Structures are given as structure tokens and as C-alpha cells.
Amino acid sequence: MAPFIFDMDTIINHITSWEILFWLPTLLDLLLLVVTYGYCNYYGVLWYLETQAEVLIQEKKAANKKKDCVMNGENFKPVISTEVKLIWELAMVTYTAYACLFPTCVYICTIYPKFRTMFCWAMTILMLKKASMLYRDDDPSTNLFKLMKKEEGMNSLIYFYVPTYGGYAILKTFFLYS
């Protein structure tokens, strides 16, 4: 029988090491970036607005309560005005910058592990900023559906991204430095 190439203890040690706090959210973000950026870039603003149809329908219904507004997901077609196109183009410019810089940072962190701590501090700050933007509610008449979507986003930030990126940054900065 052929010997194992990998020692099982070594595999267990790598899986259970603190580096999982870096790799788990980073690889998930990389996967999400590839999928969402690809779709946004290829299908454009119409595709994005159609993925948000439920939220947009709920907002229109809430805004048109006095009118008898009848809408459902099948016949909802978003209107793409010049303003929407301009905002989309601006968003795609920033998303393209992120799509270039994020994989570059992951590559650098792979080659030079000493940069992982700084990367995790930056990502923790980004996630906290995203959480503060989700927490802020400008409209007091926000409907329940929109609140549930915001809560889902907050839960993923607070219970996954901040503990993993932030935990790695804190551990490596104050406790596991070498």
C-alpha cells in the first residue's frame, strides 16, 4: 500500500490553525467577487435591478399605499434613466478598482504572510463601515421586508466577517506576533 503524501497531524494542525481566520473570509470574498463582478459586468444594471425586484416592489407599494398599486415579480420592469446609468457606471468603476486590488492583495498576502495582519485590519475597518451604513436608517417608514434584508447583511458582518478578519488582526497584532 502506498504511503500517504500528507501526514494527518499536519493537515489537522493547518486546518485548526489561526490562519483559518484569514483564509475563510478571504476566499469567500474572492469567490463572491468573481461571481458578482462577473454578473454585474456582463449583464449590467438591468440584471442588478431585477435581482432587487422584491425590494423595489415593496418600496413602491409602500410609497403608493394611497393608490391601488398592483405589482408582482413577473411584470416588474425597472426603468433605467440617465441618472441610474450614471450612478451604475460610477459604481462599476469603484467595483472594478476593488476587483483589481482585492485579488492583488490576496496574492501579496499569499506570497508575504507578514502582510496578512495589515490586510485583515483594513478589511475589518471596511466591514465595520459597511455595518454602520446598514445600521443607519434614514427612512423611519422602512418596511419589514427591507429591514429583514438589512438584518441578514448585518448578521453576516457581525457574526462572520468582523470576528474572522478582526479576530485574526487582533490575535496577530497583540498575542501571536513573532
Side-chain angles (χ1 to χ4, degrees):
M1 194 163 158
F4 281 108
I5 296 172
F6 298 105
D7 178 25
M8 205 55 172
D9 289 334
T10 306
I11 293 172
I12 299 281
N13 286 338
H14 284 303
I15 291 173
T16 58
S17 79
W18 295 113
E19 294 301 313
I20 195 83
L21 293 174
F22 168 77
W23 285 111
L24 190 64
T26 303
L27 292 177
L28 180 63
D29 274 348
L30 202 54
L31 179 64
L32 286 171
L33 174 67
V34 168
V35 173
T36 58
Y37 180 75
Y39 269 85
C40 287
N41 202 30
Y42 186 75
Y43 293 107
V45 67
L46 185 62
W47 167 80
Y48 177 76
L49 291 175
E50 287 173 354
T51 64
Q52 302 300 311
E54 288 183 63
V55 175
L56 296 171
I57 289 169
Q58 294 293 331
E59 286 179 354
K60 287 210 182 252
K61 281 182 180 179
N64 294 327
K65 274 186 179 177
K66 295 174 186 162
K67 301 175 188 175
D68 236 354
C69 182
V70 179
M71 287 189 218
N72 60 32
E74 292 91 34
N75 66 7
F76 177 76
K77 290 292 178 194
V79 177
I80 303 174
S81 64
T82 305
E83 292 85 6
V84 170
K85 285 182 184 177
L86 290 172
I87 290 172
W88 178 258
E89 288 173 7
L90 177 64
M92 284 308 294
V93 166
T94 58
Y95 203 21
T96 300
Y98 180 74
C100 293
L101 294 174
F102 187 77
T104 304
C105 289
V106 172
Y107 174 75
I108 290 170
C109 288
T110 302
I111 303 300
Y112 304 105
K114 64 183 176 185
F115 291 116
R116 292 178 188 169
T117 305
M118 289 182 283
F119 173 80
C120 285
W121 277 119
M123 292 302 289
T124 302
I125 292 167
L126 176 65
M127 298 304 157
L128 290 172
K129 180 60 180 169
K130 286 170 77 172
S132 74
M133 291 174 72
L134 281 174
Y135 183 75
R136 182 180 56 212
D137 191 359
D138 298 332
D139 185 12
S141 66
T142 303
N143 62 30
L144 183 60
F145 184 77
K146 192 172 180 182
L147 287 174
M148 287 173 41
K149 294 289 260 186
K150 286 176 107 173
E151 185 178 346
E152 288 173 9
M154 277 296 271
N155 286 341
S156 71
L157 291 170
I158 298 301
Y159 296 117
F160 178 70
Y161 284 107
V162 171
T164 51
Y165 281 135
Y168 185 90
I170 289 169
L171 280 170
K172 287 292 192 167
T173 301
F174 300 111
F175 301 107
L176 300 176
Y177 55 88
S178 54

